[in-house]
Amino acid sequence: DQQVKQNSPSLSVQEGRISILNCDYTNSMFDYFLWYKKYPAEGPTFLISISSIKDKNEDGRFTVFLNKSAKHLSLHIVPSQPGDSAVYFCAASAFGNEKLTFGTGTRLTIIP
Amino acid sequence: DAGITQSPRHKVTETGTPVTLRCHQTENHRYMYWYRQDPGHGLRLIHYSYGVKDTDKGEVSDGYSVSRSKTEDFLLTLESATSSQTSVYFCAISESTRQGGFYEQYFGPGTRLTVT
């Protein structure tokens, strides 16, 4: 039972345009959500997070939106740059739970 | 950079042999985790630790054991390696956020294990 789903295995976006990566979850206990970025042959790195008391969190070119009623979150990258080409993982947890549940990842390719 | 190292970084071993992977942290964090990453499956939790000598199973723990005798070291052992355990293994450490109750994890560089 996949509690965190990333339904798009891959996405290609032109440099300078907006990249939108999507993530859905089924567990209503989840109230903290994170995005990780992973380059080949490296470990995932933490990118941005959001708690359920917010519906938006912004950090530079990266913005995460949370729609609790739809159990959906998205990561917007604008403008997209070649260095953004990577695999992006969505993750979720419940308050007080030290474990994360990860999605299967979306490979983002930025086309110069 | 979270101070996490993994050793070895690459290993090729034969079916049936025991293998131990090491994770070392310099951050003194309480929580440590072992994941495996496979195509189409994302990151799956194998085992985690919430303190010295305190460990628990994750979703894919069969065929794996762990030990944590010191805060800084978390070992993953494959008692008898099988080809299905060919994967990339990541260690992570965790701390709670400033709000408390939420945990962000920081990952090591990974170990690529091939079982032939």
Side-chain angles (χ1 to χ4, degrees):
Chain A
D1 178 29
Q2 193 77 22
Q3 298 187 65
V4 177
K5 301 176 185 178
Q6 295 178 257
N7 292 317
S8 298
S10 62
L11 176 68
S12 294
V13 174
Q14 289 278 348
E15 181 179 359
R17 306 294 290 268
I18 184 171
S19 295
I20 300 176
L21 294 92
N22 294 303
C23 178
D24 298 296
Y25 62 96
T26 57
N27 189 336
S28 58
M29 298 298 292
F30 288 151
D31 52 11
Y32 190 60
F33 305 89
L34 308 89
W35 285 94
Y36 284 82
K37 176 179 180 179
K38 185 185 177 305
Y39 291 122
E42 295 183 11
T45 55
F46 171 72
L47 194 56
I48 192 170
S49 63
I50 188 168
S51 70
S52 59
I53 61 171
K54 295 184 174 183
D55 53 18
K56 175 182 174 182
N57 189 26
E58 199 169 350
D59 183 1
R61 297 185 298 113
F62 301 91
T63 303
V64 56
F65 295 92
L66 175 63
N67 182 332
K68 292 183 286 294
S69 61
K71 294 190 176 68
H72 175 83
L73 62 154
S74 60
L75 175 68
H76 292 212
I77 307 172
V78 55
S80 300
Q81 300 174 353
D84 297 330
S85 293
V87 176
Y88 290 79
F89 291 101
C90 169
S93 71
F95 183 85
N97 191 331
E98 65 279 3
K99 292 187 288 185
L100 298 179
T101 301
F102 284 85
T104 52
T106 296
R107 180 178 302 278
L108 175 65
T109 302
I110 305 302
I111 304 164
Chain B
D1 265 355
I4 313 169
T5 56
Q6 292 184 231
S7 59
R9 294 293 314 280
H10 301 271
K11 186 168 182 66
V12 180
T13 192
E14 293 185 349
T15 299
T17 60
V19 177
T20 295
L21 309 183
R22 179 180 183 244
C23 177
H24 178 78
Q25 62 150 329
T26 59
E27 306 297 316
N28 203 36
H29 286 331
R30 178 182 175 189
Y31 297 99
M32 298 185 76
Y33 311 80
W34 277 107
Y35 291 88
R36 59 180 290 175
Q37 185 200 359
D38 304 288
H41 291 280
L43 291 157
R44 294 182 292 175
L45 182 66
I46 305 171
H47 282 280
Y48 71 104
S49 169
Y50 46 97
V52 173
K53 292 187 169 49
D54 291 324
T55 64
D56 206 349
K57 295 179 180 180
E59 61 178 301
V60 290
S61 60
D62 287 350
Y64 302 95
S65 62
V66 289
S67 65
R68 191 168 178 201
S69 59
K70 298 185 290 185
T71 298
E72 58 266 35
D73 289 325
F74 192 31
L75 304 180
L76 177 71
T77 297
L78 291 66
E79 301 290 347
S80 178
T82 66
S83 58
S84 65
Q85 294 176 311
T86 292
S87 187
V88 182
Y89 292 85
F90 290 102
C91 174
I93 62 176
S94 178
E95 62 179 13
S96 62
T97 63
R98 278 191 297 278
Q99 301 105 300
F102 299 120
Y103 294 84
E104 294 169 1
Q105 293 183 12
Y106 299 91
F107 286 81
T111 294
R112 181 172 293 277
L113 177 67
T114 302
V115 184
T116 61

